[in-house]
Amino acid sequence: MKVVLIFDQGLAGAGGKSNPNVGLTAVKGGVGSALMLEPHFEKIGAQVAATLYCGNEYFLHNEEEVVTKMTAMIKKVKPDFVLCGPCFNYPDYSRMAAMISANILQNTEFKSCAMMSVENAETIEAYKDKTPILKMPKKGGTGLNDSFADLCEFMQCTVEGSGELEAVRNRVCY
Amino acid sequence: MMQKLEKILMPIANVLSRNKILIAIRDGFLVTVPITIVGSIFLLIANFPLEGFLNMMTSIFGAGWDAYLGRVSAIAFDCVALLGVLSIGYCYSREKGLENRIGGAVVALVCFLIITPQKTVVELEGAAEAASFSGFQFTFLGTAGMFLAMITAILSVEIYAWAIKKKLIIRLPDGVPPMVMESFASLIPSAIAMTIFFAVGIIFDHTSFEYAHYFIYRVLQAPLVGLGKLSGFEVIYQFLSTLFWFFGINGPAVTNTIFSPIHKVLTVENYEAAQAGLEMTNIFTAGFSDFFCNFGGGGSTLGLVIIMAFLGKSNRMKTLGRLSLPAGIFGINEPLIFGLPIVLNPLMAVPFILTPVVNTIIGYLATVTGIMPITLGVQLPWTCPIVFSGFLVTGSVMGSVVQIVMLIVDVLIYYPFFKLLDKRYLEEESAAGGQEDELDNLSFDDLELD
């Protein structure tokens, strides 16, 4: 399974609040927090083909450009699945992830989801009908590993078109 | 093994981090931290560890200038239980979902004062009879009353919330201003809580303990704080805090529910000892924990950030190290926790958990052997940079020297693990094996936009 990750600068390992204006960047393979996901991805035979990211403030100043170009890059890479997250409780990143995932699902044939904690209630409410949004703990909360296991189950069911997808979605998504 | 460990730790973390009482106590003490820090600054100025500075102040403001500063530090330290009962009462009201949180906090404060001795007997030299006066003693409002403050805050708000839930309230007709409505609604719940604590006070008057303060101090506070004086106390705290972080759980948020009140008491006890001209004996104060166990955030990652910034060969290491260094100097390592990452990264688990433990042991040995003085009863902002913090929290240059030695040790512990990760990132960046494909030259500049 070929996966593309969409991160903000913090999860990409390009600095946190000290580097909020980093522009749109595409890197082959996984960077930063991809390492956290790797053991879980291995279990379902998923490999990170590329990581796309930008700074949270760059997104806030260029929302339309970020969503359009990220979607165009997905078309170019042609992954089996796009993971927009894990966003924890970062509000800007969560909004960016939900917007990009919704746009990918609406305008391309690729499969995608966002992943964030319940603290992003406004974003979840606004986008949960446009894209699957997976549950996860906030930064420092309990259950991170379990949420990654749920993510992998969801990814596998989605890519394989499993009959269990609806049940899994009801369990792991908002 | 990691999965088994997580299965053990997760329920513990869930219980500790979701328990309303423990959350209220932890957050309540956090509310008092700014007050203690400001008080510490006044205390530090009055007792600055440079003779020349003190002489200069005396020449400008005259003898006794330091006594004025003591008015602020005395409130911050000698009234720590008073501040605690109010803030814990407020936080527990929040956890109980009460609308009138300040009402709950004030009831907690009043209940604490009801069971606090209000009369002081003083033996005067040469006088035939002991004199007595009405008023509260700092003795009962400071560290000696801290655990009683916690218990009183929780129980009084519990009673208050119960009465509100049972609708034991006075309802005023519509049209009455909300503040008046709220005030009257609190009347019966407050009366119930205050009457119960009035009775508790009388019951203790008729026991050998005399006051609830003495009972709680001897039965609960002294044994628990005694644990904080054991040599393994801080090691366990540091070990558990970083172990939780490795699994993505904010370690201190979990461990502080238990350890924070003990750290607070140990710190203020040192302050009180110094004020009384006695020897300070508590090694594991909040200052020791903040400034001699971790540099650059949890896992003492400042050493790692330095080698990433200056010795990293892969772009990822270099970039992240250089971007994280300024924040790292001030004790913040969030970009590293998720960006390197450290969370759920087995390679970094060993140094991340080991380094604070090694620092703690070095700090402990340096203190007991007299290489550096015991930490003072002051509390500085945890963002205070290394070297400055060591000097200010011990009042000695040796505090800074020990910190620098620890930082060098931290670098040595992290180095081999850093090299392994750096090598891996370098291989990924240089597309090892020559497997070049269309993904090697991804760029947002030459995209076709529909």
Side-chain angles (χ1 to χ4, degrees), chain B residues 122-381:
Chain B
V122 185
E123 301 279 348
L124 294 172
E125 211 176 301
E129 285 182 14
S132 68
F133 66 88
S134 291
F136 296 108
Q137 283 183 58
F138 276 149
T139 314
F140 297 111
L141 306 180
T143 49
M146 289 239 317
F147 276 66
L148 182 65
M150 292 180 223
I151 293 167
T152 306
I154 299 300
L155 290 179
S156 58
V157 172
E158 193 69 55
I159 296 165
Y160 180 81
W162 170 84
I164 288 176
K165 195 179 169 192
K166 292 285 173 193
K167 309 276 184 213
L168 300 173
I169 53 176
I170 295 172
R171 290 177 196 280
L172 297 179
D174 289 345
V176 174
M179 278 307 290
V180 177
M181 191 98 84
E182 219 167 56
S183 174
F184 272 83
S186 293
L187 185 61
I188 295 174
S190 303
I192 295 172
M194 287 162 67
T195 308
I196 289 173
F197 274 84
F198 162 73
V200 168
I202 290 177
I203 291 168
F204 274 106
D205 267 358
H206 291 85
T207 67
S208 59
F209 290 103
E210 284 185 88
Y211 304 118
H213 283 70
Y214 290 143
F215 174 73
I216 295 296
Y217 185 84
R218 284 177 210 159
V219 172
L220 189 67
Q221 182 163 332
L224 277 176
V225 172
L227 291 177
K229 299 182 184 192
L230 300 175
S231 51
F233 171 80
E234 193 64 31
V235 167
I236 293 169
Y237 171 69
Q238 294 297 336
F239 173 78
L240 289 176
S241 296
T242 42
L243 185 64
F244 278 118
W245 249 135
F246 171 72
F247 290 106
I249 301 163
N250 186 333
V254 175
T255 51
N256 279 344
T257 54
I258 303 289
F259 288 79
S260 171
I262 300 176
H263 272 133
K264 186 99 181 173
V265 172
L266 293 171
T267 308
V268 184
E269 274 186 0
N270 271 12
Y271 160 82
E272 288 174 345
Q275 293 303 105
L278 303 171
E279 189 188 349
M280 294 181 291
T281 54
N282 296 333
I283 295 177
F284 302 129
T285 61
F288 183 94
S289 185
D290 287 345
F291 303 118
F292 288 98
C293 301
N294 283 297
F295 308 114
S300 199
T301 50
L302 184 59
L304 171 64
V305 170
I306 290 170
I307 49 178
M308 282 169 65
F310 298 107
L311 302 176
K313 288 198 168 65
S314 64
N315 282 330
R316 276 148 73 177
M317 279 287 188
K318 269 189 291 193
T319 308
L320 184 58
R322 285 170 193 177
L323 287 167
S324 304
L325 190 54
I329 290 169
F330 294 97
I332 296 160
N333 64 354
E334 192 176 305
L336 214 61
I337 292 278
F338 297 110
L340 186 60
I342 284 173
V343 169
L344 302 179
N345 179 357
L347 184 63
M348 298 312 287
V350 173
F352 186 70
I353 294 167
L354 183 66
T355 309
V357 170
V358 171
N359 285 346
T360 306
I361 294 168
I362 294 173
Y364 174 74
L365 293 175
T367 309
V368 293
T369 54
I371 293 172
M372 74 171 187
I374 203 160
T375 47
L376 306 166
V378 295
Q379 194 163 357
L380 302 171

Side-chain angles (χ1 to χ4, degrees), chain A residues 2 10-19 24-36 38-40 43 49-50 52-53 68-70 72-73 75-77 88 90 138-146 148, chain B residues 3 6 10 13-14 17-18 245 247-251 253-254 316 319-320 323-324 334-335 337-341 343-346 421 424-425 428 431 435-450:
Chain A
K2 192 169 148 188
L11 263 77
K17 287 176 185 165
S18 57
N19 201 20
L24 283 164
T25 311
V27 187
K28 182 185 177 184
V31 295
S33 285
L35 211 60
M36 300 194 302
E38 225 171 56
H40 293 274
K43 288 180 192 164
L52 317 179
Y53 65 90
T68 310
K69 286 193 172 177
M70 289 276 197
M73 185 60 88
K75 285 181 188 170
K76 186 175 178 182
V77 179
F88 296 89
Y90 295 109
K138 66 176 181 180
K139 179 184 66 177
T142 56
L144 188 60
N145 250 335
D146 288 347
F148 289 162
Chain B
Q3 277 180 339
E6 193 182 12
M10 277 272 285
N14 277 332
S17 60
R18 291 178 190 171
W245 249 135
F247 290 106
I249 301 163
N250 186 333
V254 175
R316 276 148 73 177
T319 308
L320 184 58
L323 287 167
S324 304
E334 192 176 305
I337 292 278
F338 297 110
L340 186 60
V343 169
L344 302 179
N345 179 357
L421 201 56
R424 177 181 164 174
Y425 286 166
E428 285 176 9
Q435 299 162 341
E436 227 173 275
D437 54 32
E438 76 277 8
L439 296 176
D440 280 295
N441 298 309
L442 287 176
S443 169
F444 278 99
D445 297 330
D446 53 7
L447 275 177
E448 284 176 25
L449 301 175
D450 297 335

Side-chain angles (χ1 to χ4, degrees), chain A residues 40-119:
Chain A
H40 293 274
F41 281 2
E42 273 172 18
K43 288 180 192 164
I44 57 166
Q47 275 192 326
V48 180
T51 308
L52 317 179
Y53 65 90
C54 72
N56 63 315
E57 279 189 21
Y58 184 87
F59 163 70
L60 291 176
H61 296 139
N62 307 279
E63 283 187 8
E64 204 182 321
E65 180 207 341
V66 169
V67 173
T68 310
K69 286 193 172 177
M70 289 276 197
T71 307
M73 185 60 88
I74 294 302
K75 285 181 188 170
K76 186 175 178 182
V77 179
K78 297 182 178 58
D80 298 307
F81 197 89
V82 183
L83 170 60
C84 304
C87 305
F88 296 89
N89 52 330
Y90 295 109
D92 299 341
Y93 178 30
S94 295
R95 198 158 145 264
M96 176 173 96
M99 285 173 77
I100 293 170
S101 184
N103 199 52
I104 290 169
L105 291 172
Q106 194 183 340
N107 297 307
T108 76
E109 72 277 21
F110 300 105
K111 296 172 173 67
S112 173
C113 78
M115 188 179 194
M116 63 192 71
S117 71
V118 72
E119 283 72 19

